[in-house]
Amino acid sequence: MSPLEHRVQGFHNDKVPADWPAISDAEIAWLRGCFPQLEGDARVSWHSPRPLSAAAIVQTGSGPVFLKRHHRSVRTAACLMEEHRFIAHLAGAGVPVVRVLHDRDGVSALEQGDWTWELHAVGEGIDLYRDAPSWTPLVDLDQARDAGRMLAMLHRASADYRAPQRSTHLLVARDDLIRSSDPIAMLERDLAERPALAAYLQRQSWHRDLRQSVLPWHAGMAERLQAEPRLWAHNDWHASNLLWRHEGGRMVVDTVFDFGLASPTSALFDLATAIERNAIAWLSLEQGAQAVHAGTALALLDGYREVLPLPAPRVHLLADLLPLVHVDFALSEVEYFHGVTGSSANADAAYHGFLLGHAQWLASRDGRALLDALHAAA
């Protein structure tokens, strides 16, 4: 596949030219000398349509593997191994996660030139949502309930995992700003170490924008989150990051993958993110009330509570977190598009449509209806 042929998912549920070239045969030939799993006749059978990195399924003599390439400005080998150590902990605790593969030196991530590489086994299960954009709602309530159960099992396994905060802000979900008593002051301090984000925000009336669209949701949040323990979490719990299997006439989660956004946040942050990712048709808000899938949100919550109890005050906190869970990640996307890919259009979409737009929509009648349904479930 040539770079001109490689297209990925865009912001508007369209196909756009990829920022990163497709993984090539020449690259696989070089990697064959590093990863024994690529020995012999290895060829790409599928290129991922996800836009923020390049990834492919590679067919080898011993079966398929999943190869992923990042730009080193986004992920160094050391940064990738932060994810890999978390995955290994979950695997050791019995969570069905994809297996990270190691090179001939026993290392799970390696750097070469401008790129950082990782290799995974292909997970067990059916990739039902492989081609679904990340904002596609999960409308099957049985699947939503089982996804909630699996998320709770992951949190139970993560409870004794201890590791520092991620070494990057880029394309990682955090809750630092929403835990802060003064998010604007904290962001101003952070900008000294995030020049690309600082450069973009200089073009915006960002203090005013955050005060109007985001901070009304933040009133009292810092105090309420003091009792919410830090927990390493997946932070991107969408149906397309799960593999499925048939069981008793329905589909259940078989394997969990894609820990690229993982970091220490909290259980409620992760569950609220799951609701945001799966219960709102962000790419089709013109549908009005039909863009809201309250049943999906409640099924995720019900499945979660089958494994881990959530008393009423925490359910109310979950609902109140929903308009804020995207804030750190939206800013990281602005930073990525402005500083790494140089796309002003995508940076503007991340700022106006994602950072501000999601918070604004949840203040609408349809957004409030979803929040009310969650509060009522307490």
Side-chain angles (χ1 to χ4, degrees):
M1 176 178 290
S2 73
L4 292 176
E5 293 173 325
H6 186 37
R7 301 179 75 83
V8 295
Q9 293 165 352
F11 266 108
H12 304 291
N13 200 16
D14 51 354
K15 294 293 185 181
V16 299
D19 289 322
W20 307 115
I23 292 172
S24 68
D25 292 339
E27 289 174 312
I28 293 174
W30 177 80
L31 287 165
R32 192 176 294 124
C34 305
F35 287 99
Q37 300 87 353
L38 295 174
E39 287 181 345
D41 181 23
R43 56 182 177 80
V44 172
S45 62
W46 174 78
H47 290 276
S48 171
R50 305 297 179 191
L52 304 180
S53 60
I57 290 178
V58 179
Q59 297 293 336
T60 75
S62 56
V65 292
F66 182 76
L67 179 63
K68 195 169 187 179
R69 185 193 66 211
H70 310 261
H71 197 269
R72 282 182 67 179
S73 63
V74 180
R75 289 289 184 272
T76 63
C79 185
L80 268 186
M81 286 190 281
E82 294 165 359
E83 302 167 21
H84 297 172
R85 286 190 288 271
F86 181 44
I87 294 171
H89 173 86
L90 295 174
V95 179
V97 293
V98 292
R99 184 163 53 93
V100 181
L101 303 177
H102 294 75
D103 69 8
R104 298 181 193 280
D105 297 321
V107 178
S108 62
L110 59 91
E111 297 170 354
Q112 193 262 340
D114 290 334
W115 307 113
T116 305
W117 297 89
E118 59 180 324
L119 190 67
H120 298 254
V122 171
E124 296 290 332
I126 304 167
D127 200 350
L128 290 178
Y129 299 94
R130 184 168 78 174
D131 298 320
S134 293
W135 302 112
T136 302
L138 175 57
V139 297
D140 187 304
L141 299 189
D142 286 336
Q143 290 179 23
R145 193 169 292 107
D146 199 68
R149 282 191 287 266
M150 183 59 73
L151 183 60
M153 287 188 277
L154 185 150
H155 290 169
R156 189 167 58 190
S158 177
D160 62 347
Y161 183 70
R162 301 290 179 267
Q165 180 56 273
R166 295 297 298 272
S167 58
T168 184
H169 281 275
L170 279 176
L171 304 184
V172 168
R174 295 188 181 196
D175 66 352
D176 300 340
L177 288 177
I178 64 177
R179 283 183 180 267
S180 172
S181 59
D182 190 343
I184 286 181
M186 183 177 191
L187 181 55
E188 285 178 329
R189 292 192 299 271
D190 285 349
L191 291 180
E193 298 179 356
R194 303 173 71 179
L197 180 60
Y200 180 87
L201 291 180
Q202 283 180 347
R203 300 163 35 191
Q204 309 295 331
S205 300
W206 67 272
H207 294 81
R208 182 200 66 193
D209 291 343
L210 291 182
R211 289 191 177 104
Q212 289 181 349
S213 298
V214 176
L215 292 190
W217 296 110
H218 187 262
M221 184 59 66
E223 294 79 6
R224 295 170 71 190
L225 286 175
Q226 287 180 0
E228 193 63 25
R230 288 279 190 187
L231 181 88
W232 265 76
H234 186 279
N235 296 333
D236 192 16
W237 197 259
H238 184 259
S240 61
N241 288 329
L242 305 170
L243 301 176
W244 304 81
R245 72 174 185 274
H246 293 281
E247 184 177 283
R250 60 189 180 92
M251 302 299 291
V252 299
V253 177
D254 202 3
T255 306
V256 181
F257 64 98
D258 197 349
F259 286 79
L261 275 60
S263 75
T265 53
S266 71
L268 289 188
F269 180 95
D270 209 12
L271 181 55
T273 299
I275 292 170
E276 183 212 26
R277 294 284 196 270
N278 294 281
I280 304 168
W282 292 108
L283 302 177
S284 305
L285 292 181
E286 71 280 357
Q287 294 177 355
Q290 294 181 6
V292 181
H293 296 268
T296 297
L298 297 177
L300 282 162
L301 176 59
D302 287 345
Y304 191 95
R305 291 195 289 193
E306 288 179 19
V307 178
L308 291 175
L310 284 180
R314 293 189 74 206
V315 176
H316 289 304
L317 178 55
L318 170 72
D320 292 338
L321 273 173
L322 191 57
L324 295 167
V325 291
H326 70 293
V327 168
D328 273 272
F329 184 66
L331 286 166
S332 85
E333 280 205 339
V334 172
E335 184 176 9
Y336 169 81
F337 288 123
H338 185 74
V340 178
T341 67
S343 172
S344 297
N346 283 346
D348 287 344
Y351 181 80
H352 294 286
F354 189 8
L355 175 65
L356 305 179
H358 282 205
Q360 291 164 350
W361 181 83
L362 281 158
S364 71
R365 181 187 62 185
D366 296 326
R368 291 277 187 183
L370 175 60
L371 301 180
D372 290 345
L374 287 169
H375 282 297

